[in-house]
Amino acid sequence: MRPIIAGPCTLSLCNADCGARSYGWSSRSARSGLGTFVIYGASHGFSPFKILLNTLPFPLVFAVAYSLRRRRSIMYYLVVVDGLLLVKAICGGIAMRFF
């Protein structure tokens, strides 16, 4: 990995020519978040269905990270992120309330 001196991805872990086109970081963080949640849920006695319902947003994060490869308007990105947060909140609410 060569060091990046300046540009939009100065503080990121990208391997690219600093066009902020490296999407590996979000996938890695989503995978580690998924693993952390499964370990936490299992150690705190969550039911398997509760863990499954709370992990549904993680594949959506992978799909969104893949689909955001093209440049789009900032409003598009905001709507997509807000939609992911809404889905995550709904899944978490249902899992905690009913299971």
Side-chain angles (χ1 to χ4, degrees):
M1 189 165 101
R2 94 188 142 135
I4 298 171
I5 306 301
C9 58
T10 303
L11 299 176
S12 72
L13 300 174
C14 79
N15 230 356
D17 287 334
C18 198
R21 288 186 172 31
S22 177
Y23 295 98
W25 182 83
S26 64
S27 295
R28 271 185 256 138
S29 67
R31 280 188 299 228
S32 65
L34 177 62
T36 302
F37 174 72
V38 170
I39 292 169
Y40 176 83
S43 67
H44 282 77
F46 288 6
S47 69
F49 193 71
K50 184 183 280 191
I51 292 173
L52 179 69
L53 198 57
N54 274 310
T55 57
L56 283 179
F58 285 98
L60 294 176
V61 169
F62 296 135
V64 166
Y66 180 75
S67 70
L68 294 179
R69 291 177 296 157
R70 290 188 12 221
R71 288 186 183 254
R72 298 204 169 110
S73 70
I74 189 70
M75 186 57 103
Y76 178 82
Y77 293 118
L78 291 173
V79 167
V80 168
V81 169
D82 286 346
L84 279 174
L85 288 174
L86 182 63
V87 168
K88 184 171 173 45
I90 290 170
C91 288
I94 291 171
M96 295 302 168
R97 175 77 173 126
F98 297 111
F99 301 103

